[in-house]
Amino acid sequence: DVPQVNGNNLRRRCELLVQELKRRRTSYRTNHLLVPFGDDFKFIKAAQQFYNMDQLLAHINDNAADFGVTIQYSTLSEYFDAVHAEAAANAITFPVYAGDFYPYADNSDSYWTGY
């Protein structure tokens, strides 16, 4: 079952999300974070998932001065365009990895190949 965001837990859930985003921020070179929402099985109750996320985004953005962030849905193209623009404006460079990415393990006994 999908827990519902409501007036009783909205502020706390926003605080937890922003706390996590700020923790992840240290791994990025620009102010733009890519945070995938969901996974293969997350949207069985998509309407509820998006309703919850819409409330979080609205509350965070309505209180951006308090939270110190703004947040939005984005396509990958929009995300990379924003990263590229900020990097170009601030002479930010990125390392290039030329090795092999696969096989990939996302936990102790799950390996992914062929993607």
Side-chain angles (χ1 to χ4, degrees), residues 6 9 13 22 30 32 37 43 59 62 79 86 93 105 109:
N6 58 51
N9 63 20
R13 287 179 183 241
K22 287 181 177 181
T30 71
H32 301 280
F37 175 48
F43 296 109
H59 186 76
D62 288 347
Y79 168 75
E86 183 177 341
T93 60
D109 65 349

Side-chain angles (χ1 to χ4, degrees), residues 3-113:
Q4 185 162 343
V5 173
N6 58 51
N8 295 325
N9 63 20
L10 176 61
R11 179 75 184 185
R12 181 67 183 140
R13 287 179 183 241
C14 288
E15 290 168 350
L16 291 170
L17 177 58
V18 169
Q19 180 181 27
E20 176 62 18
L21 296 176
K22 287 181 177 181
R23 185 189 67 77
R24 291 184 187 193
R25 167 68 181 93
T26 62
S27 298
Y28 288 76
R29 292 175 185 247
T30 71
N31 289 320
H32 301 280
L33 278 66
L34 176 63
V35 182
F37 175 48
D39 59 35
D40 296 357
F41 308 104
K42 196 62 156 184
F43 296 109
I44 293 168
K45 294 186 177 184
Q48 184 65 49
Q49 292 284 358
F50 279 98
Y51 175 78
N52 286 343
M53 196 56 143
D54 289 346
Q55 287 188 85
L56 296 174
L57 271 61
H59 186 76
I60 290 168
N61 291 334
D62 288 347
N63 298 280
D66 293 338
F67 286 112
V69 301
T70 58
I71 187 172
Q72 68 184 49
Y73 293 115
S74 177
T75 65
L76 285 174
S77 292
E78 291 167 333
Y79 168 75
F80 284 110
D81 286 348
V83 167
H84 177 74
E86 183 177 341
N90 296 296
I92 298 170
T93 60
F94 298 93
V96 176
Y97 180 77
D100 187 1
F101 284 94
Y102 295 105
Y104 169 75
D106 64 353
N107 66 54
S108 63
D109 65 349
S110 293
Y111 299 92
W112 303 60
T113 61

